[in-house]
Amino acid sequence: MSARTVLLFVFALFSTAMLGLAAGACWMVVTLYLGDPLPWLALLFGALLAWAIRHGVRSPGPAAAMLAALATALATVYVNMLIAAVQIAGNMGMGLVDALRTAGFAMLWQLARLALAPADIGWAVLAVLLAAWLGWRSPRRRAPTLTAGR
């Protein structure tokens, strides 16, 4: 395995993580605005992540499917941890960053797990499967357009 291959793999994982975290943060904005977690949005964000990853890799297939599924799973976990942090911040009268720092990863993970309903898990699993399927598919090629003869 060449150094270039390793660097491309690390960059793909880093990009996947950043896309997943960004999707989770966007999902959190919608959640805060509407005041409801909206677990079905996992399907929308899974499709968007799959589209972004599929168009960002050289050849869609198993690698793109795994990256899209990983990004979607990360987004669902991250939004649930952010919801837990917002609840802590609201109950304790502190800012979100302070709540994130004070609670730490382990406590936020446990609170997010406790708050999950079976329906939330079902939406997340469906979103991961949808993202993997969409990531596996090849992007459509546009048909050449015919121009009028001159």
Side-chain angles (χ1 to χ4, degrees), residues 5-22:
T5 305
V6 171
L7 286 175
L8 285 174
F9 177 73
V10 169
F11 181 71
L13 284 179
F14 178 76
S15 299
T16 298
M18 292 301 107
L19 283 170
L21 293 175

Side-chain angles (χ1 to χ4, degrees), residues 58-80:
R58 286 186 185 182
S59 57
M66 288 297 291
L67 291 175
L70 178 68
T72 304
L74 181 62
T76 58
V77 168
Y78 187 55
V79 74
N80 286 314

Side-chain angles (χ1 to χ4, degrees), residues 66-108:
M66 288 297 291
L67 291 175
L70 178 68
T72 304
L74 181 62
T76 58
V77 168
Y78 187 55
V79 74
N80 286 314
M81 290 177 72
L82 284 176
I83 289 171
V86 165
Q87 289 174 343
I88 290 172
N91 290 335
M92 300 292 186
M94 55 178 47
L96 180 61
V97 175
D98 291 333
L100 286 167
R101 232 182 260 139
T102 304
F105 177 79
M107 183 178 183
L108 292 175

Side-chain angles (χ1 to χ4, degrees), residues 103-114:
F105 177 79
M107 183 178 183
L108 292 175
W109 171 248
Q110 290 299 323
L111 289 172
R113 272 190 21 188
L114 289 172

Side-chain angles (χ1 to χ4, degrees), residues 43-60:
L43 294 174
L44 174 66
F45 282 105
L48 289 172
L49 287 167
W51 179 82
I53 290 171
R54 183 178 69 195
H55 290 288
V57 297
R58 286 186 185 182
S59 57

Side-chain angles (χ1 to χ4, degrees), residues 2 8 20 28 93 114 126 147:
S2 68
L8 285 174
M28 185 63 198
L114 289 172
L126 280 174
T147 58

